Amino acid sequence: MQLAKSSDIYLTFLELLQQRNIRIKVDGNRTKPIVAQNSLRNYFARDQSKSPMILLHIEELDKLAKSVELLYDLFDWTTGGKANLIIVGISNDLSLVEKLFPKKVYIYISSLLMH
């Protein structure tokens, strides 16, 4: 699946989850990326211990790197409480994480990277 712009990932991700009967409350216009972003943020901030595990696989992660806020947002959802979200990102740029994250964060996550 190809996205016209990086913010479309919010709309696409929300739609895919809803197609799989994962109930996410949406307040506002479903066609606006900011509404989808807020709905997903609220969903992943809640306790997900009884929800199914979700695997988000993103190819060419380096193309989303232009939107650092988007990447921070996506990866932040995996850290929220008992969120059942795993993100696998594939990039051709081996130094992508080093470029995107502050040194303190990079040192922490560098042991989790596969080159």
Side-chain angles (χ1 to χ4, degrees):
M1 175 181 311
Q2 201 164 18
L3 304 173
K5 48 189 179 179
S6 58
S7 63
D8 287 346
I9 196 168
Y10 296 116
L11 295 169
T12 304
F13 191 31
L14 178 63
E15 182 180 324
L16 289 171
L17 292 176
Q18 290 176 330
Q19 286 173 359
R20 284 156 181 78
N21 296 320
I22 296 175
R23 294 188 179 128
I24 299 175
K25 183 179 178 190
V26 179
D27 293 324
N29 185 341
R30 290 178 184 271
T31 63
K32 293 191 176 195
I34 189 70
V35 172
Q37 177 186 13
N38 289 334
S39 299
L40 289 164
R41 182 181 295 131
N42 291 337
Y43 176 78
F44 289 114
R46 295 190 332 248
D47 181 0
Q48 302 297 314
S49 59
K50 294 184 176 147
S51 300
M53 185 64 69
I54 298 167
L55 173 66
L56 177 61
H57 176 226
I58 304 172
E59 289 279 340
E60 299 187 37
L61 191 63
D62 41 315
K63 291 191 178 179
L64 289 178
K66 295 172 188 149
S67 178
V68 175
E69 179 186 340
L70 182 141
L71 288 176
Y72 279 155
D73 213 12
L74 291 174
F75 286 102
D76 187 49
W77 295 343
T78 65
T79 63
K82 297 179 181 177
N84 285 348
L85 176 64
I86 297 170
I87 296 177
V88 176
I90 308 294
S91 172
N92 293 327
D93 184 353
L94 295 177
S95 62
L96 177 68
V97 175
E98 196 173 325
K99 291 177 192 173
L100 289 178
F101 296 101
K103 187 172 184 169
K104 184 168 52 170
V105 174
Y106 174 73
I107 290 169
Y108 172 73
I109 65 172
S110 62
S111 63
L112 305 173
L113 299 175
M114 293 180 2
H115 295 277

